[in-house]
Amino acid sequence: MTPAEKEVADLCVELIRVDSSNYGDGSGPGERAAAEVVMARLAEVGIESTYIESEPGRGNVVTRVEGTDRSLPALLVHGHLDVVPANAADWSVDPFAGEVRDGYIWGRGAVDMKDMDAMMLAVLRQMKREGREPRRDIVFAWLADEEAGGVYGAKYLTANHAELFEGVTESISEVGGYSLEVDPSLRLYLIETAQKGLAWMNLTADGTAGHGSMLNDDNAVTEVARAVARIGEHDWPLTYTPTVRRFLTEVADAYGIPFDENDPQPVLDRIGPLVRFVGATLRHTTNPTQLGAGYKSNVIPGQATAVVDGRFLPGFEDEFFKTVDSLLGPKVRRDFVHHDIALETTFDGALVESMIAALKAEDPAARAIPYCMSGGTDNKTFFADLGVRGFGFVPLRLPADMDFASMFHGVDERVPVDALHFGVRVLDRFLLNY
């Protein structure tokens, strides 16, 4: 067992035991304590790091490892230190105890994403102790605030400290590189190469205020309710991006079944719970999430509002908003709570070849395939603005029966210890050989 394998579980447990819950409103503990753990473990082996707070307690850690060939572009490896909150009453274990049970590490952040934070630390510490150098510069970054949009993490650093990422052209981070076992002789490893765009939209209608007992044909509540119903019930058609088309084709081939573009469900059925990650990437989505109007039961308000969570496919943003606007109706207007791009890159090049080679060296049954995720990460949100080509690659060989998708933000979040051992072996090969 390598030094990284020996310590990665302990590092993961140590990070989980630091409560870095992000409530999205500034009320959480922040990431400083977790960042201090990272800096201390780097300092133990003589690695200097840069600590940057965007606001008190909102800590980010960055360090650069110089490569042997400075003519090569640099690689960014990043993870986030914050986690979503956890209600301890819902859990089988204390979500911040980092308990090891039945071969798993349990706790908030075990897969999202203190597992990768620990893997990054373990591999970097091993590289330093053994005096091994990568071919290219590698920037390691442990970031704040990803779970609430990255304002105090990736956004702050890219806007105010872009020099830290000088020369970086590609990156790897979360929600990719995990396995889907077809049978003992074939495991698909899903590498994220695309993300849907984000459009959280305010809908607003103005009407004529009045007494609730009187006739009123200019009711703002009615107008917003109609718009919400039209948008929420709209049947978005199947739309295949290059990434999704290839993903479904690869899955169909692996299981020996046909892929019918008019009916992809038989292929989706084969991937089980992972359909939560990819099922919404075959079409745009618009889900109403909030309604607001009025202040008294017998007063018709002059304004009514709603919020819709919209997600659009890469390459189809204009089409998406054209349809949304046609569904609003003439008396309802929209503006953004938050708007973010969709992103898609190709599944090719030296970086992809290196990921595939590292996976197959540790798992001869591995076949890497690209996929699109319905959410978003720091890869898209801010690093793309620097021209960085991002991938989701946290290599984990998972048990065939593990419901991995439910672990993200879920109750009893946990990661297999042997998956972390596998992950550091793959990550070490990839980083040193790319």
Side-chain angles (χ1 to χ4, degrees):
M1 185 176 285
T2 66
E5 289 177 82
K6 290 178 181 177
E7 68 178 12
V8 66
D10 289 341
L11 291 169
C12 187
V13 166
E14 184 177 18
L15 287 168
I16 288 172
R17 287 176 176 171
V18 177
D19 182 355
S20 53
S21 298
N22 188 344
Y23 295 91
D25 59 2
S27 64
E31 298 84 4
R32 178 169 183 164
E36 288 174 343
V37 169
V38 171
M39 290 188 293
R41 298 296 163 256
L42 292 176
E44 279 180 352
V45 295
I47 297 174
E48 295 183 359
S49 57
T50 300
Y51 177 70
I52 297 173
E53 281 195 350
S54 50
E55 293 286 342
R58 310 310 301 268
N60 300 272
V61 181
V62 182
T63 190
R64 180 182 286 256
V65 178
E66 290 190 1
T68 57
D69 187 350
R70 303 303 300 280
S71 69
L72 293 173
L75 173 70
L76 170 63
V77 183
H78 62 96
H80 61 83
L81 293 170
D82 61 322
V83 298
V84 295
N87 181 7
D90 297 333
W91 285 56
S92 302
V93 300
D94 180 343
F96 297 104
E99 182 174 334
V100 181
R101 180 200 297 183
D102 303 325
Y104 288 78
I105 299 172
W106 297 61
R108 177 57 84 219
V111 301
D112 189 14
M113 61 174 300
K114 290 180 175 178
D115 57 343
M116 181 59 164
D117 294 331
M119 288 161 59
M120 291 161 58
L121 268 177
V123 169
L124 183 50
R125 282 162 59 91
Q126 177 174 285
M127 290 169 58
K128 179 67 174 179
R129 283 169 169 156
E130 296 177 353
R132 294 180 298 152
E133 297 176 303
R135 294 179 61 235
R136 67 189 67 236
D137 282 13
I138 303 176
V139 178
F140 289 84
W142 291 264
L143 304 171
D145 198 39
E146 191 276 343
E147 296 292 2
V151 172
Y152 299 107
K155 182 177 182 179
Y156 182 84
L157 292 184
T158 54
N160 298 281
H161 298 279
E163 72 281 357
L164 293 171
F165 310 105
E166 182 179 355
V168 170
T169 60
E170 296 170 312
S171 70
I172 62 169
S173 190
E174 62 180 328
V175 201
Y178 52 87
S179 67
L180 167 64
E181 186 164 316
V182 177
D183 59 51
S185 68
L186 178 60
R187 273 172 290 278
L188 303 179
Y189 285 83
L190 280 62
I191 297 176
E192 181 262 299
T193 61
Q195 300 178 17
K196 291 178 78 175
L198 175 65
W200 291 342
M201 296 173 283
N202 281 316
L203 309 186
T204 305
D206 294 313
T208 302
H211 199 287
S213 67
M214 298 179 182
L215 297 175
N216 188 321
D217 58 3
D218 187 30
N219 190 315
V221 176
T222 303
E223 292 297 335
V224 160
R226 286 172 178 161
V228 165
R230 287 192 296 267
I231 291 172
E233 295 172 357
H234 182 69
D235 186 15
W236 292 99
L238 291 169
T239 303
Y240 294 103
T241 62
T243 296
V244 171
R245 187 185 302 277
R246 179 167 177 182
F247 170 80
L248 293 172
T249 300
E250 293 269 14
V251 172
D253 177 72
Y255 284 97
I257 61 175
F259 165 44
D260 180 355
E261 290 192 5
N262 296 315
D263 182 18
Q265 196 58 48
V267 178
L268 294 174
D269 288 342
R270 293 302 182 105
I271 66 175
L274 289 181
V275 75
R276 297 192 191 102
F277 280 148
V278 301
T281 64
L282 279 68
R283 65 188 80 223
H284 304 304
T285 58
T286 42
N287 288 309
T289 56
Q290 293 177 273
L291 291 169
Y295 56 90
K296 197 170 187 293
S297 58
N298 64 345
V299 177
I300 299 171
Q303 188 176 88
T305 62
V307 175
V308 173
D309 183 333
R311 311 283 174 134
F312 52 88
L313 296 169
F316 295 92
E317 182 173 356
D318 291 344
E319 170 197 275
F320 172 80
F321 285 115
K322 182 178 180 181
T323 301
V324 168
D325 289 342
S326 72
L327 296 169
L328 288 176
K331 295 184 178 182
V332 180
R333 64 186 184 276
R334 66 170 173 85
D335 60 78
F336 291 121
V337 178
H338 186 65
H339 177 212
D340 200 2
I341 62 170
L343 197 65
E344 185 168 33
T345 189
T346 54
F347 192 60
D348 57 16
L351 181 141
V352 170
E353 292 172 3
S354 293
M355 287 191 288
I356 293 171
L359 286 168
K360 290 188 72 67
E362 295 297 334
D363 182 4
R367 182 197 294 182
I369 64 174
Y371 89 102
C372 176
M373 68 175 294
S374 57
T377 71
D378 282 335
N379 259 343
K380 175 185 73 174
T381 311
F382 304 110
F383 292 118
D385 291 342
L386 298 182
V388 176
R389 183 184 182 216
F391 294 83
F393 186 62
V394 177
L396 296 171
R397 178 174 168 176
L398 301 171
D401 60 351
M402 183 178 181
D403 183 0
F404 188 60
S406 72
M407 296 296 102
F408 285 79
H409 298 190
V411 171
D412 288 342
E413 182 181 350
R414 57 197 180 274
V415 66
V417 173
D418 60 3
L420 295 182
H421 294 163
F422 173 84
V424 294
R425 294 197 304 270
V426 173
L427 197 61
D428 182 73
R429 285 181 180 273
F430 167 69
L431 293 178
L432 284 171
N433 295 324
Y434 174 50

